[in-house]
Structures are given as structure tokens and as C-alpha cells.
Amino acid sequence: MSILITGGAGYIGSHTLVELANANYDFIVYDNLSNSSSESLNRVEKIIGKSITFINGDIRDTAKLKEVFGNHSIDSVIHFAGLKAVGQSVEQPLEYYDNNVVGTLRLLEVMSEFGCKKIVFSSSATVYTDPDKLNIQHSKLNIKEYSPLREDSPVGGTTNPYGTSKYMIERILEDLYISDNSFKIAILRYFNPVGAHKSGTIGEDPNGIPNNLMPFISQVAVGKREYLSVFGSDYDTHDGTGVRDYIHVVDLAYGHVKAIDYLNNHENIKPLVVNLGTGTGYSVIDVVKAFEKASGKKVPYKLVDRRAGDIAKCFADPSYAKELLGWVAKRSLDEMCEDSWRWQSNNPDGYEVK
Ligand code: NAD
Ligand code: UFG
């Protein structure tokens, strides 16, 4: 029996393949390579010492999905495939809803048809209601208590089509379970994945100018960009810059192994909704300092205006993941920076093979 890994050639998917192989799970990768390179799979093959079955396909292609389910014994799916750039989703909402929501519907339809009823879904901390949208006066919550975020914190007040697409998919999965209790579903809400595999051969390879902090810092340190723009220095945080829950991608990847183990070992379970974070928030300046230490390079930065849509602090309460799955994030911010740096300095042009 194999696990179908949609989006398995991407950043988190490729790291999860390594952890699944370490845990002796068999898998098949299904990816349209719209935001990745098959070179990541070649590199994973070297790490795990095994060849990987890869199918180049789109999750919206029902005929191709049926062919895959018809030709292989697939008993579960880890569903990473999706578009993830927040800013781009505001400009191209239809593309995002089509790819993420319609793509997931097509996948679930084919899974149902073939009796495959176990799915782990990549959700995001972005589904939690933006504090600006919380009606504080009528809520039991105090704004100061927004983070740490618990799985039962308010969700759905999203600020962009990307976040809304994740929220919609969570609802679809919950409704699917209501209609068919034999579905086993794990919704994993990731905080801010960073870092790379210890080998320095796989990592995050963004197209164009990185939107996210760690890839941007890495590119400054390696000399590809002049300086980092720090978005906002007047937040209510220890140094005025935004605070996030950065989680090492290998810890995150291992969370998927624990989720699949759980689904395999339990019957009659309601959909699990689990935060995957460390529970510790670091500021932008904390990350810059840690990266300078790890790389031995200076990371010049300029303090600029806040980025629209950003919040001051966002970090997880990760206690449910520990209680339910026996999972905790183990790797420190220093290790995240060291591993990001090893990947970036060994592969300044990412997977582009020259
Ligand atoms: P990624 O872009 O590196 O990986 C996504 C993969 O899905 C890519 O390989 C892409 O080619 C593939 N893909 C996209 N649309 C597809 C389609 N229609 N059919 C088949 N394949 C398709 O992104 P990632 O960082 O590895 O993220 C994986 C998942 O985790 C995504 O669903 C993302 O939304 C979610 N997530 C990521 C973060 C983050 O900060 N990286 C945070 C929270 C949630
Ligand atoms: N930041 C900068 N300069 C940059 C980039 C980011 O100062 O060039 C700051 C941001 O203002 C924020 C922090 O660094 O304070 C982290 O920003 P990221 O863009 O790396 O991450 P976000 O927390 O904004 O969002 C990320 C993903 C979302 C996901 C969310 C929670 O982009 O898709 O984490 O999982 F939903």
C-alpha cells in the first residue's frame, strides 16, 4: 500500500518524503511542477537511497487521477498540492480558488470513488481570524490573548484568497466526514516553516523575489540581494518587529508521519485539527541575528513601513499535537538558520542545474 503525495516535489513535500522513507512508508509523488522542479526528487532519491515513483499531473485532472488510483494500491493521501503566495492570491483569486479548492474537490471525488478514505491536509495558521476582524467587545477573547493560537481559536476571518481557500478546504473536509464517517482526516495547521534537510541538498527554492523572511535573508547573506526590508518596527513586540512561530521543516515533515501513524492506528475518529508550531515566537530582528551567527555573514537591513495585512504576533499553542500525536518540534532557531544557510550557500541558484 502506498501514500499518494500530492505536491511532493515542493518544499515541505520533499522533506516529508525523506521522513516517510525513514519510517518505511511507501509513496507515490503526484505534482504538476508548477512551483517546483523534479530535481528535488532526484536529490531525495540520493538521500533515501531508493527510486521514487513520480507522476507529472495536476490535481484538477480527474482522468489522470483515476488512472493513478486505478494503477496503484493507494490507501491514503498527503495533500500538499496548492498555490501559496498570499500577495499573488489577491491578484489572481480565481486561479487560487480553482487550484486549491476545485483541485481538492476533484481529488476527494476520486478518492471516494476508489474507496481511499484517509487524508492529511496542509492547512495554515492563516485560517485563524485576523485580530483586526475580531469583535473584541463581543468576544470572550482579549486581543492580547490572540497568540498563542489554539485549535479552537476563532477561524475564518481570513484576509486574502489564499487563506480563504485553506479555510474553505477545512470546511469541505469536515462536511465530507459528516456525510461519510468512514473518512479519516487530519488537518495540520502549519506555522512558519523554514530551514532545510541537514544534507544541504534539498530546501526552499522560491521563484523570483522571495516573499517570506527566511529565503529573503538567505539571499541577502549569499549576496544575491543588497539588504532586507524589515516590514514595521512599531509593533507591540519586544523590539517592535513582527513575531512569528518559525518551525524547522524537518520537524514539520515528521509531524506528517505522526499524523499518518495516528490515522492508521485509530478507527472511528472525527477530523483531527492540529497546530504544527514550536510555541515560541521570534521577531524579525531575532531571526536576522541568529542568521548572522549561523552564516558568519552580515545581513544588512532597513526598517521600512509595515506590510499590509501583517499582524504583530502569531505563534502556536502546540500542546494538542504533543497530547494527541506525541509530536513536538525539537530544532532550535539556530539550527533552522544553520540549515537554511547550508542549503542556500551550496545551492545559490536553488535547483537550477547549470
Ligand atoms: P510548494 O509550492 O513548494 O509546494 C507545493 C507543490 O504543489 C509544488 O511542488 C507545486 O508544483 C504543486 N502543485 C501546485 N498546484 C498543483 C496542482 N494543481 N496539481 C499538482 N501539483 C500542484 O509549497 P510548500 O511550502 O511546500 O507548501 C506545501 C503546502 O503547505 C501548500 O498547500 C501550502 O499552502 C501549505 N502551507 C505552506 C506554508 C509555507 O509557509 N510554506 C505555510 C502553511 C501552509
Ligand atoms: N518580513 C520582513 N521582510 C521581508 C519578509 C517578511 O520584515 O522581506 C517579516 C513580516 O513582516 C513578518 C515576518 O517577517 O513579520 C514573517 O513574514 P513571512 O512572509 O515569512 O511569513 P508570514 O507570517 O507573513 O506568512 C507565512 C506564509 C503564509 C502562512 C503563514 C502562517 O507566507 O502563507 O506564514 O503559516 F499562512
Side-chain angles (χ1 to χ4, degrees):
M1 281 292 183
S2 295
I3 310 172
L4 185 72
I5 316 287
T6 74
Y11 172 47
I12 303 169
S14 56
H15 287 82
T16 303
L17 301 180
V18 175
E19 297 310 307
L20 288 169
N22 288 342
N24 288 321
Y25 278 109
D26 286 327
F27 51 78
I28 294 165
V29 174
Y30 188 85
D31 197 306
N32 67 0
L33 303 179
S34 58
N35 195 40
S36 53
S37 157
S38 58
E39 177 60 16
S40 67
L41 300 176
N42 298 336
R43 308 260 181 112
V44 172
E45 285 181 335
K46 288 208 179 96
I47 297 171
I48 66 176
K50 277 204 294 206
S51 64
I52 292 174
T53 306
F54 169 58
I55 295 139
N56 187 337
D58 193 297
I59 49 167
R60 292 163 296 183
D61 185 344
T62 301
K64 191 151 206 169
L65 275 180
K66 283 187 182 177
E67 203 182 297
V68 173
F69 276 87
N71 291 339
H72 299 88
S73 296
I74 297 168
D75 72 336
S76 47
V77 174
I78 303 181
H79 179 30
F80 294 106
L83 301 177
K84 63 164 183 175
V86 171
Q88 191 185 46
S89 79
V90 177
E91 281 149 30
Q92 302 170 15
L94 302 185
E95 181 62 14
Y96 270 68
Y97 289 122
D98 184 49
N99 200 90
N100 294 3
V101 181
V102 175
T104 303
L105 287 175
R106 296 290 94 84
L107 173 68
L108 292 170
E109 283 158 6
V110 177
M111 286 176 66
S112 298
E113 187 178 328
F114 284 82
C116 173
K117 295 191 174 180
K118 263 182 270 174
I119 182 165
V120 176
F121 172 61
S122 300
S123 192
S124 166
T126 195
V127 301
Y128 289 111
T129 295
D130 187 284
D132 288 344
K133 291 197 173 177
L134 279 174
N135 186 341
I136 300 302
Q137 267 154 10
H138 295 95
S139 159
K140 278 183 265 164
L141 285 172
N142 180 297
I143 190 83
K144 292 212 169 68
E145 292 164 1
Y146 175 72
S147 278
L149 287 155
R150 290 162 44 94
E151 289 80 357
D152 57 2
S153 295
V155 290
T158 46
T159 54
N160 56 77
Y162 166 70
T164 310
S165 76
K166 292 288 173 190
Y167 175 64
M168 286 174 166
I169 297 166
E170 288 199 1
R171 294 296 305 267
I172 289 167
L173 289 168
E174 282 159 14
D175 287 341
L176 178 64
Y177 170 79
I178 291 168
S179 75
D180 180 351
N181 285 186
S182 65
F183 258 94
K184 296 203 249 178
I185 296 167
I187 293 169
L188 305 181
R189 293 185 181 148
Y190 311 158
F191 282 68
N192 290 51
V194 297
H197 187 260
K198 273 275 170 275
S199 63
T201 59
I202 56 172
E204 187 169 12
D205 182 18
N207 284 328
I209 303 172
N211 296 306
N212 298 118
L213 181 66
M214 190 65 93
F216 204 104
I217 290 182
S218 308
Q219 293 196 2
V220 172
V222 85
K224 287 181 88 170
R225 311 205 176 264
E226 212 182 320
Y227 63 90
L228 168 76
S229 296
V230 175
F231 299 140
S233 50
D234 57 352
Y235 285 113
D236 181 17
T237 61
H238 62 273
D239 60 17
T241 67
V243 163
R244 296 291 182 275
D245 188 335
Y246 298 96
I247 172 171
H248 197 296
V249 66
V250 173
D251 282 330
L252 184 74
Y254 188 58
H256 295 74
V257 175
K258 299 297 277 180
I260 279 284
D261 286 348
Y262 190 95
L263 297 187
N264 285 337
N265 294 329
H266 293 80
E267 296 308 321
N268 303 318
I269 43 167
K270 288 191 177 155
L272 320 176
V273 181
V274 184
N275 283 339
L276 294 183
T278 66
T280 304
Y282 288 105
S283 73
V284 176
I285 299 299
D286 291 335
V287 179
V288 168
K289 285 187 187 147
F291 203 94
E292 287 182 334
K293 187 173 124 199
S295 63
K297 303 278 176 190
K298 199 82 198 129
V299 178
Y301 64 84
K302 289 185 186 170
L303 303 178
V304 302
D305 286 348
R306 293 180 178 193
R307 181 171 68 178
D310 274 356
I311 55 175
K313 292 182 199 167
C314 173
F315 56 95
D317 176 340
S319 52
Y320 188 54
K322 184 176 182 189
E323 182 191 322
L324 188 81
L325 305 177
W327 174 92
V328 281
K330 294 186 179 143
R331 292 163 177 83
S332 65
L333 179 63
D334 287 345
E335 202 169 344
M336 298 177 209
C337 292
E338 283 157 21
D339 294 342
S340 291
W341 176 241
R342 190 176 304 105
W343 155 252
Q344 180 69 57
S345 52
N346 289 349
N347 307 270
D349 297 312
Y351 288 117
E352 204 170 287
V353 186
K354 298 245 158 128

